[in-house]
Amino acid sequence: FQWKRQQLLTHALSEVKAKIERKYPVILTLGPARFAGFKTVEIAGLSLVPKAAPTDTLLTAKRLQASLSVRSLFAGRPVFSGLEIITARLTARKTATTDNFGFLVKKKASTVPRDTTKGTNYGLLLNQVLETGFDNVPGEADFKDFYVSYVSSRHTALLRLPELKIQDGDISGRLTANVDSVVNELGISGHIEPGDYALTARVFGVGGSVQLPYVPRR
């Protein structure tokens, strides 16, 4: 039984890797996986690298844990839940001509010519970002020691999240946001229903007011 479930786990993760690499132009690398309990799976490391920029890693994680229905594994349709990601780094970069994250929100080419006289459709862009987020958010998750950075020629942002939880759709966490040298200590609370594309969220200052970059001078 132990040998068989390990064999099925290895196969299931190879299917996950293939599915993601079919959906996005990326290379997903997963570290060795093992059962750390009857239903707990532990993966020793992860990296996600865009194929267009093989030296520019987008996402890394030191360790992942998840609950796995053993019955679903033997049925050939593995169901993962309760995702825990430890020491993750999401590094987004943008230059005047390239970036390492645009494929996440890029739609298939349209046969209808775009009207360049109307400028950028920010409503459409926001919809694409939201769809990507809702389609990939887990139902249950616990992020520990999570850093998100964004660097471009005009802006720099660094988000440090000691912990961010999603439990039964309820979101809670704290973060330090450093956006173009404006630093905020923030709390997060809310609720998400990915299947309904519904999100209610509250971001509030911890121990003080919240400063928004650009607003005072504009």
Side-chain angles (χ1 to χ4, degrees):
F1 172 77
Q2 298 282 358
W3 173 82
K4 186 62 176 178
R5 72 171 185 171
Q6 182 64 43
Q7 186 184 45
L8 289 171
L9 173 64
T10 301
H11 175 72
L13 291 177
S14 69
E15 290 291 308
V16 170
K17 171 181 168 67
K19 181 179 179 180
I20 289 176
E21 291 182 349
R22 282 196 303 269
K23 186 174 181 180
Y24 299 111
V26 297
I27 298 170
L28 173 65
T29 303
L30 297 170
R34 67 182 184 92
F35 278 91
F38 183 70
K39 295 199 303 180
T40 302
V41 173
E42 185 176 287
I43 302 171
L46 168 151
S47 71
L48 192 68
V49 181
K51 290 181 179 178
T55 61
D56 199 358
T57 302
L58 177 63
L59 175 67
T60 63
K62 184 177 180 181
R63 184 160 57 93
L64 297 90
Q65 282 192 182
S67 296
L68 172 63
S69 167
V70 177
R71 178 178 294 182
S72 73
L73 182 64
F74 276 87
R77 297 179 179 179
V79 177
F80 293 93
S81 62
L83 179 65
E84 183 176 331
I85 301 179
I86 297 138
T87 311
R89 303 289 182 266
L90 177 63
T91 306
R93 298 186 181 91
K94 182 178 177 63
T95 68
T97 56
T98 62
D99 63 61
N100 68 342
F101 58 87
F103 63 88
L104 288 170
V105 296
K106 191 174 293 183
K107 290 290 187 181
K108 292 181 180 179
S110 173
T111 57
V112 179
R114 187 171 73 90
D115 186 352
T116 57
T117 63
K118 295 182 179 180
T120 302
N121 186 336
Y122 289 102
L124 178 61
L125 179 62
L126 180 59
N127 277 339
Q128 292 171 2
V129 172
L130 290 173
E131 284 179 14
T132 300
F134 279 114
D135 287 345
N136 292 284
V137 69
E140 302 276 335
D142 188 358
F143 299 91
K144 294 180 178 177
D145 186 24
F146 191 21
Y147 280 51
V148 179
S149 64
Y150 170 78
V151 177
S152 74
S153 58
R154 298 178 61 188
H155 304 296
T156 302
L158 175 62
L159 308 179
R160 298 184 180 92
L161 295 91
E163 188 167 26
L164 178 67
K165 283 188 176 183
I166 305 174
Q167 188 170 13
D168 293 330
D170 291 331
I171 305 167
S172 63
R174 293 178 68 167
L175 68 89
T176 300
N178 187 332
V179 181
D180 292 341
S181 300
V182 176
V183 181
N184 286 298
E185 296 288 337
L186 303 168
I188 305 169
S189 65
H191 187 82
I192 187 167
E193 294 289 348
D196 295 333
Y197 279 53
L199 171 67
T200 302
R202 175 173 172 257
V203 179
F204 52 90
V206 176
S209 60
V210 176
Q211 299 180 62
L212 299 179
Y214 322 122
V215 173
R217 68 172 181 262
R218 289 183 182 273

